[in-house]
Amino acid sequence: MTRTAHPAPHTATVAVGESGGTGSLVALSSRLGQGLRRADRARPWVLNVAVVALVVSVFCVPDLLHGIDAGDEAGRFRLTSAHLPVIEMLALQAGLVLPLLWRRRRPALAFGVIAAVFFLQWFVGAALRADIALFVALYGVALRARTPQLLWACGITAGALVPAAVRVSGVLSVWVSLFFLLSTATAAVALGLTVRIRRAQLAGLRDRAARLETERDQRSRLAAAAERARVARDMHDVVGHNLAVVVTLADVGLRADAAGRQPGPEVLRSIADAGRQALGELRRVLGILGEPARDEGPGLMLQPRLADLGALCEGVRAVGLNVVHRTVGSVDGVDGKVQLTAYRIAQEALINALQHAGPGARVKLVVVASGSRLVIRVRDGGPPDGESRRRARQEGHGLAGMRELAARCGGRLDAGPAGNGWAVEAVLQIP
C-alpha cells in the first residue's frame, strides 16, 4: 500500500505564531516610537533634561563619589583629577553637562561651550568621565547644525582630542589613543548624519504624499468641473433644440389664432412630438450619467451621429424651416467623437437659424469629408419677408459652445454675416 505523507500541522502553527509574534513586536515598537515622538514634540524639554540626568548619573556621580585612585591611576595617567577640589570638579562637570540642555535649539553654541570647557579641563590636567558630553554635543551638531558649522566642529574636536591623547601617553601611545578618540568622534558624526538623512527622507516622503494628495484633490475637482461642463453642454444640446422647436411652433399657433384661424392639428402634433423627443433624450442623458463606469461605453453608443442629420433636418422642416441637406464623401469611418461634435454643431447652427431667421427661411447644410478633415457648413438666407437688414447676432453661449466643441476635435469654427443671413463653417480634424 502507498502511504501519502501529510505535513505536520504543528509546524504550520508554529510558523504562523512566530510570524504573528514578529508582526506584533514591530507594530508595538512602531506605536511606541510614534508615541514618544508626539510626546517629545509636545514637551521637548523632557528629553533634554533626561539626557542631562543620564550623563550626570552615569558619568559625573562616580567621579564625585570615588574620584581616581591616587596611588594607581593618577600616577600612571599623570592626571590631577584626584587632587581637584570638589567645587572645581563640580564647575567643570557643570560646564561639560549643562550646555546639553540647549543642544537641540542651539547645537553649535552648546558644542562651543563644551569644547571650551574640555580644553580647559585637559589644560589643567584633569580627566573626567563627563567628557562624553563632547561627543554628545558633536552628535547634535551633525544632526541639526549647518554644514559649515559641522566642519568647524569636526576641526575643533580633532584639535581638542590631541592634548587628551598626549595626557594618556603613559598607558597608550599617542597615536593609538588618538585613533580611538577620533574613531569615537567619527562614530558620533556618522550617527548624527545618518539620523539627519533619514529624517530628511521621511520629511520628503511626507511632503510628497501631501503634494500627491493635493494634486489628486485638484484633479478630482477639475474632472468634476469638466464633467459638469460636459453635462451642461449635453443638456443644452438636448433640451435647447426641442424647446426652440416647441417655442417656434407655439408662436405659429399664436399667430394663426391672432389672425382668426384655428391652428392646424399638425402644429399641435409637432409640439407634442418635440416634447416627447426632448423627454426621451433627457432620460437617455440622465440614464448615461447614472450608469456605472463599466457601462459607460455601451451608453455612449446612443449618442447621435452624422447619419442622424437626416432625421434632424426632418424635424426642423416640420417647424417650417426650409433645410437642404447634402453630404459629400464617406462619413461612416469617421471617429464617433468627431461625428457627435459635427452633429451638435449642425444642430446648434440650425437652431440659431430658426431663432434669428424664423420659419420659412431657407437653410443649406453641407457636410464634406475629405482626407483628414470634416467640414460642416450651415448658411441661411435671412428672414423670408425680404427685409434687407442684417440681423445682429451676439456672441452668446451657442457660438461659444460650438467653438469649444470644434477646438476639442483639433479644429476651428468661423461664424458671421453672409448677405442677409448668417453662415457657420466648422473644420474638424479626423483622427
Side-chain angles (χ1 to χ4, degrees), residues 165-341:
V166 173
R167 286 289 184 177
V168 299
S169 59
V171 178
L172 297 174
S173 68
V174 175
W175 297 110
V176 174
S177 303
L178 194 59
F179 171 77
F180 281 109
L181 292 174
L182 290 178
S183 298
T184 306
T186 303
V189 173
L191 181 60
L193 292 178
T194 301
V195 176
R196 183 174 188 167
I197 293 172
R198 179 61 177 171
R199 289 182 180 178
Q201 290 176 344
L202 292 177
L205 290 176
R206 284 192 294 267
D207 292 342
R208 184 171 182 271
R211 188 166 57 252
L212 289 176
E213 185 176 359
T214 302
E215 292 176 356
R216 183 196 63 191
D217 295 340
Q218 291 176 349
R219 285 195 299 268
S220 300
R221 288 193 292 269
L222 291 175
E227 184 65 16
R228 286 195 298 269
R230 187 184 69 82
V231 171
R233 286 193 301 269
D234 288 343
M235 297 301 293
H236 174 269
D237 294 337
V238 169
V239 179
H241 168 72
N242 293 285
L243 286 182
V245 172
V246 170
V247 170
T248 303
L249 290 173
D251 290 339
V252 171
L254 289 175
R255 285 197 296 268
D257 182 70
R261 295 180 287 105
Q262 293 293 332
E266 66 278 359
V267 176
L268 300 178
R269 188 179 301 110
S270 298
I271 292 176
D273 292 340
R276 279 191 291 269
Q277 183 179 0
L279 287 176
E281 292 188 0
L282 183 60
R283 291 192 187 99
R284 176 181 60 79
V285 171
L286 295 178
I288 293 174
L289 293 177
E291 289 177 356
R294 63 178 183 274
D295 297 330
E296 186 177 358
L300 291 177
M301 294 301 293
L302 299 175
Q303 295 284 6
R305 301 170 68 87
L306 289 175
D308 300 319
L309 284 178
L312 176 64
C313 294
E314 289 295 332
V316 177
R317 290 190 190 102
V319 186
L321 202 63
N322 188 5
V323 181
V324 178
H325 170 224
R326 184 163 60 97
T327 300
V328 179
S330 176
V331 296
D332 295 335
V334 178
D335 181 71
K337 177 183 176 182
V338 178
Q339 291 202 39
L340 174 61
T341 301

